[in-house]
């Protein structure tokens, strides 16, 4: 049977905030050292930034990058990473049990962002520290001059303020693994007080409060409710994190997991709006899905790494074709709630559960998940349109009525193009797909990009970096305002129309 989607200009979900195509660099594994920063590498620039990696990041057009963690931030002293290199301390890093050499820090990250054409989303430490250190970092970062911290920045060689607009109030504070984990009440209070003084330093910033570390946390969604009750007026966004895996090699169930993401988003929106109603407030809290991805391939290898080395290969998932399909569906899930999901960060960007891999001293290449992320980031900006979809369905271990077709359409910013992103979750059958573009008049296909592979477990490696790579030979054909395509089994599709 056939899948069908009606796309109408007048049925809009909302503007796509480009920041949903954000990413994340944590001081973890080889994300920084050996990833974005490797002074000895032949491609390193004068600051030690790998220019081959910068080029691959530019290919994704990443609008914002969260930094410096993650779990790392909850034990981090930002002052360790600024000023003369020779004076920077080496520290035991307790979140990932490594040694942090502090050769790369806040200012280097900002320079890297400028060179890469992205913005920083900074996280402050609310694990071992509090409002005092957060306001000092903000003063160092954003205050023009004439105070202790702003003048210190100038002394460090940065005359102009960095003007960082987006700040995360800690990381996963509900998780027992977090340095300085807190109850919802403890966190809600410190988040509100930190937010208050940070906005006194710079009233133009936006703040993200920590939501639950996953939908599976025992305190979800009571955590969101309590935290927002205590900080509603002070914060602007609440965070969501989720990681999926295919540990039992049950691919139909694995590919259905984006439906769990849909309900996670739905419940967090409902909780935000419940607190809005309770407060009789006009303000809406939006969502920052600031950690999401597939993460499971590296779990076993990580359990064998000895502690206290510098930049060991941690969380180095090698992604395969089916992972790219789920990543595509997760992007579709966020676009479906473009009205409320205003920021998101694929976790992470380089080497650590990342679309980009490097070898120390060697090559850099694209993992399979690079492609759906790139396609949506490039072609998925504008207005998200309501996906009126009918599709044949299946049941999996954890989900019922899973549509084989997962799809969304985005009208471009200049309103001249429509792009349909579509996953066929069927593993062995092609899916006939009809798109009814009734309000668009006569359409033509610009291109139909397809990511497909016979082997769901096929991955790109240093030796064969292009085993899984998209092609533009998709079969979508337009006839007036109708488009017909036969979506390949287990495929990711980008149908661009004019
Ligand atoms: O992205 C890896 C880790 O996952 C982050 O440090 C943490 O916030 C989450 O648990």
């Amino acid at each position: 049977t056939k899948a069908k989607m009606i796309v109408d200009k007048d049925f809009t979900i909302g503007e796509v905030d480009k920041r949903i195509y954000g990413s994340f660099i944590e001081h973890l594994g080889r994300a920084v050292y050996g990833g974005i920063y490797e002074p000895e590498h032949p491609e390193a620039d004068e600051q030690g930034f790998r220019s081959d990696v910068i080029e691959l990041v530019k290919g994704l057009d990443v609008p914002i990058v969260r930094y410096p963690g993650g779990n790392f931030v909850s034990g981090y002293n930002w002052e360790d990473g600024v000023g003369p290199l020779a004076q920077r301390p080496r520290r035991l890093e307790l979140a990932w049990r490594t040694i942090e050499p502090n050769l790369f820090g806040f200012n280097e990250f900002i320079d890297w962002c400028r060179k890469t054409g992205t913005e920083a989303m900074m996280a402050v430490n609310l694990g071992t520290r509090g409002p005092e250190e957060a306001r000092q970092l903000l003063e160092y970062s954003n205050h023009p001059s004439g105070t202790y911290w702003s003048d210190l920045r100038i002394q460090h060689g940065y005359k102009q303020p960095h003007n960082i607009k987006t700040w995360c109030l800690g990381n996963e504070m509900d998780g027992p693994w977090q340095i300085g984990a807190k109850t919802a009440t403890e966190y809600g209070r410190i988040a509100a007080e930190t937010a208050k003084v940070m906005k006194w330093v710079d009233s133009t910033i936006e703040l993200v409060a920590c939501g639950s570390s996953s939908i599976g946390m025992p305190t979800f969604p009571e955590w969101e409710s309590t935290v927002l009750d205590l900080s509603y007026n002070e914060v602007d966004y609440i965070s969501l994190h989720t990681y999926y895996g295919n540990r039992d090699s049950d691919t139909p169930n694995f590919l259905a997991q984006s439906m769990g993401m849909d309900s996670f988003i739905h419940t967090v929106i409902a909780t935000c709006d419940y607190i809005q109603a309770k407060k009789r407030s006009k303000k809406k809290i939006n969502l920052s899905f600031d950690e999401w991805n597939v993460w499971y391939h590296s779990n076993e290898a990580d359990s064998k790494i000895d502690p206290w080395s510098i930049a060991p290969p941690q969380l180095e998932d090698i992604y395969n074709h089916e992972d790219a399909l789920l990543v595509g569906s997760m992007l579709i899930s966020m676009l479906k709630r473009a009205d409320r999901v205003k920021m998101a960060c694929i976790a992470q960007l380089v080497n650590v559960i990342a679309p980009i891999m490097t070898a120390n001293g060697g090559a850099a290449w694209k993992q399979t998940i690079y492609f759906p992320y790139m396609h949506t980031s490039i072609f998925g900006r504008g207005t998200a349109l309501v996906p009126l979809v009918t599709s044949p369905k299946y049941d999996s271990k954890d989900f019922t009525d899973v549509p084989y077709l997962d799809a969304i359409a985005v009208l471009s910013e200049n309103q001249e193009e429509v792009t349909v992103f579509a996953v066929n979750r069927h593993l062995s059958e092609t899916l006939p797909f009809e798109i009814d573009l009734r309000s668009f008049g006569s359409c033509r296909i610009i291109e139909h990009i397809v990511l497909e592979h016979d082997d769901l477990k096929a991955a790109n490696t240093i030796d064969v970096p292009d085993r899984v790579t998209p092609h533009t030979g998709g079969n979508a054909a337009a006839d007036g305002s109708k488009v017909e395509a036969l979506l390949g089994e287990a495929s990711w599709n980008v149908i661009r129309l004019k």
Side-chain angles (χ1 to χ4, degrees), residues 427-445:
L427 302 184
S428 55
E429 285 178 24
T430 54
L431 182 65
F433 179 33
E434 182 192 305
I435 315 169
D436 177 347
L437 292 133
R438 47 186 63 179
S439 64
F440 287 92
S442 202
C443 294
R444 79 176 171 82
I445 312 279

Side-chain angles (χ1 to χ4, degrees), residues 185-245:
T185 306
E186 287 167 346
Y187 174 68
R189 285 291 303 132
I190 200 169
E193 290 304 316
T194 305
K196 188 175 86 183
V197 294
M198 287 179 79
K199 286 193 172 169
W200 284 346
V201 173
D202 181 350
S203 62
T204 68
I205 60 169
E206 292 197 310
L207 294 168
V208 186
C210 292
S212 297
S213 301
S214 77
I215 195 173
M217 295 300 287
T219 44
F220 176 79
E222 190 58 40
W223 171 277
E224 280 73 2
S225 169
T226 306
V227 167
L228 287 176
D229 209 5
L230 293 168
S231 65
Y232 201 86
N233 292 332
E234 286 78 21
V235 306
D236 306 286
Y237 303 87
I238 186 118
S239 74
L240 297 83
H241 292 180
T242 208
Y243 294 102
Y244 296 129

Side-chain angles (χ1 to χ4, degrees), residues 24 26 70-71 96 171-172 177 243 291 295 315 347-348 353:
F24 179 23
E26 176 167 5
N71 297 337
W96 302 103
N171 177 69
E172 295 191 345
W177 59 86
Y243 294 102
E291 286 187 33
W295 172 16
L315 280 65
Q348 299 190 8
I353 43 174

Side-chain angles (χ1 to χ4, degrees), residues 14-185:
E15 288 299 298
V16 178
D17 190 318
K18 68 175 183 185
R19 296 174 302 172
I20 68 167
Y21 303 119
S23 190
F24 179 23
I25 287 283
E26 176 167 5
H27 281 250
L28 158 54
R30 299 188 308 118
V32 172
Y33 307 108
I36 62 174
Y37 174 83
E38 194 181 355
E40 309 78 33
H41 194 278
E43 303 264 355
D45 70 7
E46 69 292 349
Q47 284 186 283
F49 305 158
R50 282 185 64 156
S51 55
D52 54 344
V53 173
I54 288 183
E55 284 315 304
L56 288 174
V57 177
K58 280 186 176 168
L60 293 164
D61 197 359
V62 180
I64 195 162
V65 180
R66 185 165 171 252
Y67 175 86
N71 297 337
F72 170 81
V73 80
S74 297
Y76 185 48
N77 295 347
W78 68 269
E79 305 90 321
D80 291 348
V82 296
L85 274 183
Q87 285 161 31
R88 298 193 192 173
R90 281 179 163 224
R91 301 254 191 220
L92 277 191
E93 200 292 282
L94 300 184
W96 302 103
R97 298 174 37 100
T98 59
I99 289 176
E100 171 54 54
N102 283 307
L103 300 173
F104 184 101
F106 179 47
N107 293 317
E108 287 82 22
F109 179 66
I110 301 306
D111 287 338
W112 181 85
C113 286
R114 303 283 185 252
K115 286 182 177 171
T116 312
T118 191
E119 294 286 326
M121 177 197 284
M122 285 300 299
V124 300
N125 173 357
L126 292 186
T128 57
R129 307 184 108 190
E132 177 67 358
E133 295 85 358
R135 78 178 174 97
Q136 290 171 356
L137 171 57
L138 181 59
E139 183 181 319
Y140 180 92
S141 169
N142 286 14
H143 195 71
S145 66
T147 65
Y148 177 81
W149 292 105
S150 58
D151 288 344
L152 188 62
R153 182 197 69 242
I154 294 170
Q155 196 187 311
H156 291 160
Y158 297 84
K159 190 157 187 310
Q160 296 305 320
H162 293 319
N163 273 327
I164 310 301
K165 288 288 164 236
T166 314
W167 295 79
C168 303
L169 298 163
N171 177 69
E172 295 191 345
M173 300 309 303
D174 62 330
W177 59 86
Q178 201 69 208
I179 302 170
K182 295 183 171 40
T183 65
T185 306

